[in-house]
């Protein structure tokens, strides 16, 4: 790239990139690297421009794929980056802008190359490119240093150890993005990977000790929602003589890169993606979800999932059991607040589901909160706007409600929380309603939408299960909620009777004249009492007759039904659903990353 690169279109002819990808070996000590890393061109700000960048550099990348076995230039570039990261923390403390900027550029090039390498070759070939041994040109050795493992360990250290400042924000985002790219080999396989280089490097060896620290840092990145610094905030002051080359380079990079961060998402639905206030939080959450949904290795459970399942509140002073690996503590109050505020995105809802379902400490804490409306209302709003959401987002929101309604304390407390002026509920003006009544209204509306539109059995079952879980604790329902329950019961009864009648007609020929079904004794008893009381009964009079009848009803004629509680049970192979779902979120939501839709095998994705 170098100081002369100013446009994406110039990249295929760039002399520095040609040298990097050419047939000549470049030593890691060569001054060439400083020239290569001093590039400046406006960073892509849309999926279209990212696609142009990919197309402009693909010939360079493919030349490197061919020549790297002889030159080892990829390894030299990585070694240059690794040597620089050793001084990165000190550079941040000393405000060495240029050093950090060039180190970021090195990682940016590595990330671009790694993405193409992963797409173009098998994992075995990829590993060979990272185990080049200089003393024997054209050959590889199993004894050679594994630069891929060293790179991953370095990225983990960078993410967890480098302080987040204006001048380090950019390289922190790039480090997280590079780890996402490393894991993206799953995108190019139709089947869920159960053995891959991800399992080899991230679940054992030198990377394993960073597990809990990495998960904790990614969670805190999500919690803090740190915004990028304004354009040019970390650039060196302009010199009196008009600046010079370094100022111009830094200024160009700052302006271009902060523009892409401000404008946000990419992918096939970029136009519909909301502006991202914190690219680092978004990217960290996506990486966390990818790590949490890696399949277990043959002999090792996923350590990142173990960390997510076991972390505790910072206020919990009880010791961790020795049997729990990768445990750590985090501020649950801050986590709860962030989850409440970020539920407009699929990935935040998926994180909430993951924590509620897998971490009993988080679930217990959330159910004990006295402000559950802050969490429940965003979930209800997702379900209310079901027409505007994708089906996976709706499923996650509904399963969250199902998990919450498994708790009797939650089912009682939601009727004690009074809400005023729910502006997003448009069917009826709700000036004052309990959280429980609103929950009932939204779930019933979802059922009716499903019955008339999508007809999804899974959605239907879980909606009814949530209502059934809450039913024993219904208290002081809003009259509109009570009306909707009756309407739903009437609708379902008609459908049930229709199905029952069809089944009865098919069996009628086999019944004898003595096989007359007995009327339902409970129903008959109360109907006769209401008929005896006459017509034109008020609501209060009907309720009084039912109460009196309940006292006089012979108990020996009743059958006691056990109290039912519907619990959410994950399917036997949840990864078959969650892994494609997570990667579709990465494809649509990751900042500054683009994959050609035609290359993706894991799911079907239309191009722009």
């Amino acid at each position: 790239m170098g100081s002369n690169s100013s446009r994406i279109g110039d990249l295929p002819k760039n002399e520095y990139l040609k040298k990097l990808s050419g047939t000549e070996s470049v030593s890691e000590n060569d001054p060439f690297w400083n020239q290569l890393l001093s590039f400046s061109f406006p960073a892509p700000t849309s999926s279209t421009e990212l696609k142009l960048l990919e197309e402009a550099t693909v010939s360079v990348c493919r030349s490197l794929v061919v020549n790297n076995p002889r030159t080892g230039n990829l390894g030299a570039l990585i070694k240059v980056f690794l040597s620089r990261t050793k001084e990165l923390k000190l550079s941040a403390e000393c405000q060495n802008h240029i050093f950090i900027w060039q180190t970021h550029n090195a990682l940016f090039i590595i990330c671009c190359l790694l993405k193409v390498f992963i797409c173009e070759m098998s994992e075995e070939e990829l590993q060979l490119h990272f185990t080049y041994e200089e003393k024997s040109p054209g050959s590889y050795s199993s004894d050679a240093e594994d630069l891929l493992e060293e790179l991953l360990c370095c990225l983990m250290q960078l993410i967890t150890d480098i302080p987040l400042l204006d001048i380090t924000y950019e390289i922190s985002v790039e480090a997280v993005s590079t780890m996402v790219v490393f894991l993206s080999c799953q995108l190019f396989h139709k089947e869920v990977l159960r053995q891959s280089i991800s399992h080899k490097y991230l679940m054992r060896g030198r990377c394993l000790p960073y597990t809990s620290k990495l998960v904790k840092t990614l969670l805190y990145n999500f919690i803090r929602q740190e915004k990028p610094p304004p354009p040019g905030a970390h650039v060196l002051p302009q010199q009196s003589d008009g600046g010079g080359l370094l100022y111009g380079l830094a200024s160009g990079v700052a302006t271009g890169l902060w523009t892409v961060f401000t404008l946000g998402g990419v992918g096939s639905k970029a136009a519909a993606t909301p502006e991202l206030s914190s690219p680092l939080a978004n990217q960290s959450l996506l990486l966390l979800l990818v790590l949490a949904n890696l399949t277990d290795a043959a002999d090792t459970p996923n350590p990142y999932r173990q960390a997510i399942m076991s972390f505790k509140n910072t206020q919990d002073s009880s010791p961790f059991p020795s049997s729990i690996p990768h445990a750590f503590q985090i501020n649950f109050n801050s986590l709860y607040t962030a989850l409440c505020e970020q539920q407009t995105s699929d990935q935040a809802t998926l994180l909430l589901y993951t924590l509620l379902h897998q971490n009993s400490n988080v679930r217990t804490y959330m159910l004990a909160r006295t402000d559950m409306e802050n969490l429940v209302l965003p979930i209800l709003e997702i379900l209310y706007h079901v027409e505007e959401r994708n089906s996976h987002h709706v499923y996650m929101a509904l399963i969250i409600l199902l998990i919450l309604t498994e708790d009797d304390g939650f089912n009682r407390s939601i009727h004690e929380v009074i809400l005023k002026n729910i502006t997003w509920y448009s069917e009826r003006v709700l000036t004052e309603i309990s959280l429980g009544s609103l929950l009932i209204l939204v779930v019933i509306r979802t059922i009716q939408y499903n019955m008339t539109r999508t007809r999804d059995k899974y959605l239907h079952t879980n909606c009814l299960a949530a209502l059934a879980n809450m039913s024993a604790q219904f208290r002081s329902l809003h009259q509109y909620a009570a009306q909707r329950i009756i309407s739903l019961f009437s609708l379902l009864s008609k459908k049930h009777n229709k199905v029952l009648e069809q089944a009865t007609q098919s069996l009628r020929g086999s019944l004898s004249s003595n096989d007359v079904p007995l009327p339902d004794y409970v129903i008959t008893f109360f109907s006769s009492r209401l008929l005896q009381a006459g017509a034109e009964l008020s609501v209060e009079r009907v309720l009084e007759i039912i109460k009196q009848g309940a006292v006089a009803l012979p108990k020996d004629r009743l059958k006691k039904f056990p109290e039912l509680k519907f619990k959410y049970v994950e399917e036997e192979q949840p990864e078959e659903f969650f892994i494609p779902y997570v990667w579709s979120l990465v494809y649509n939501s990751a900042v500054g990353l683009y994959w050609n839709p035609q290359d993706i095998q894991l799911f079907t994705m239309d191009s722009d």
Side-chain angles (χ1 to χ4, degrees), residues 34-295:
N34 282 333
Q35 297 168 328
L36 172 71
L37 301 179
S38 297
F39 65 83
S40 171
F41 65 87
T45 58
S46 68
S47 60
T48 301
E49 292 181 0
L50 283 162
K51 184 178 181 180
L52 289 175
L53 174 62
E54 176 116 343
E55 292 172 349
T57 56
V58 68
S59 60
V60 173
C61 294
R62 286 176 177 166
S63 294
L64 186 63
V65 168
V66 173
N67 295 323
N68 187 64
R70 294 186 296 274
T71 66
N73 285 346
L74 175 62
L77 172 61
I78 292 172
K79 288 179 180 178
V80 169
F81 170 73
L82 293 175
S83 66
R84 283 175 166 268
T85 56
K86 295 174 183 177
E87 303 176 38
L88 201 56
K89 195 169 185 178
L90 179 61
S91 298
E93 294 172 357
C94 299
Q95 297 286 301
N96 191 336
H97 300 71
I98 299 301
F99 184 88
I100 294 174
W101 162 59
Q102 289 185 327
T103 306
H104 163 269
N105 286 351
L107 183 56
F108 175 77
I109 296 174
I110 290 170
C111 185
C112 292
L113 294 174
L114 182 62
K115 188 159 67 69
V116 174
F117 273 50
I118 288 175
C119 178
E120 295 276 328
M121 64 186 65
S122 68
E123 291 186 353
E124 292 76 14
E125 292 175 300
L126 178 67
Q127 288 179 274
L128 291 177
H129 278 273
F130 282 85
T131 54
Y132 174 82
E133 192 169 26
E134 186 176 343
K135 68 177 183 179
S136 179
S139 68
Y140 299 91
S141 169
S142 59
D143 298 327
E145 184 177 24
D146 193 334
L147 285 176
L148 188 53
E149 183 175 39
E150 191 169 348
L151 174 63
L152 287 171
C153 289
C154 178
L155 292 174
M156 288 183 167
Q157 287 177 317
L158 197 160
I159 294 168
T160 58
D161 294 344
I162 300 301
L164 188 60
L165 308 171
D166 282 358
I167 60 173
T168 60
Y169 190 98
E170 179 183 328
I171 195 169
S172 297
V173 175
E174 198 64 47
V176 175
S177 298
T178 305
M179 285 205 67
V180 172
V181 167
F182 167 72
L183 291 159
S184 67
C185 54
Q186 175 65 79
L187 281 173
F188 310 107
H189 294 79
K190 291 183 178 180
E191 304 298 326
V192 169
L193 294 177
R194 301 182 187 279
Q195 276 296 338
S196 67
I197 55 173
S198 305
H199 296 83
K200 175 182 177 181
Y201 292 115
L202 295 178
M203 295 192 185
R204 54 176 68 89
R206 294 169 56 191
C207 293
L208 189 61
Y210 294 100
T211 296
S212 58
K213 198 172 183 180
L214 177 63
V215 171
K216 183 177 182 178
T217 302
L218 295 175
L219 276 172
Y220 269 126
N221 286 347
F222 167 72
I223 289 170
R224 290 167 180 152
Q225 294 289 316
E226 293 281 358
K227 296 182 180 180
H234 68 300
V235 180
L236 288 172
Q238 187 165 354
Q239 301 172 4
S240 58
D241 63 354
L245 176 62
L246 289 181
Y247 177 83
L249 296 181
S251 178
V253 171
T255 302
L257 290 177
W258 295 137
T259 298
V260 67
F261 289 155
T262 303
L263 292 180
V266 301
S268 66
K269 299 181 180 178
T273 304
E275 180 178 314
L276 290 172
S277 61
S278 177
L280 179 61
N282 178 74
Q283 222 77 335
S284 295
L285 178 53
L286 292 173
L287 175 58
L288 181 64
L289 292 172
V290 170
L291 291 171
N293 286 281
L294 288 173
T295 58

Side-chain angles (χ1 to χ4, degrees), residues 497-569:
N497 289 337
K498 183 177 179 180
V499 173
L500 189 62
E501 182 180 351
Q502 292 173 346
T504 302
Q505 288 176 350
S506 65
L507 294 173
R508 185 164 292 169
S510 60
L511 292 175
S512 65
S513 58
N514 295 327
D515 292 332
V516 180
L518 295 174
D520 191 316
Y521 176 74
V522 176
I523 294 177
T524 304
F525 178 84
F526 284 104
S527 296
S528 63
R529 284 185 166 254
L530 290 172
L531 289 173
Q532 291 171 10
E536 303 297 330
L537 298 177
S538 66
V539 174
E540 292 76 12
R541 179 57 181 153
V542 170
L543 182 59
E544 182 183 354
I545 294 171
I546 291 175
K547 285 182 177 179
Q548 293 172 350
V551 175
L553 183 67
K555 303 298 188 291
D556 59 323
R557 299 293 301 274
L558 298 179
K559 180 189 293 185
K560 183 177 181 179
F561 289 93
E563 183 178 349
L564 297 177
K565 185 70 70 177
F566 294 92
K567 292 184 178 292
Y568 169 69
V569 179

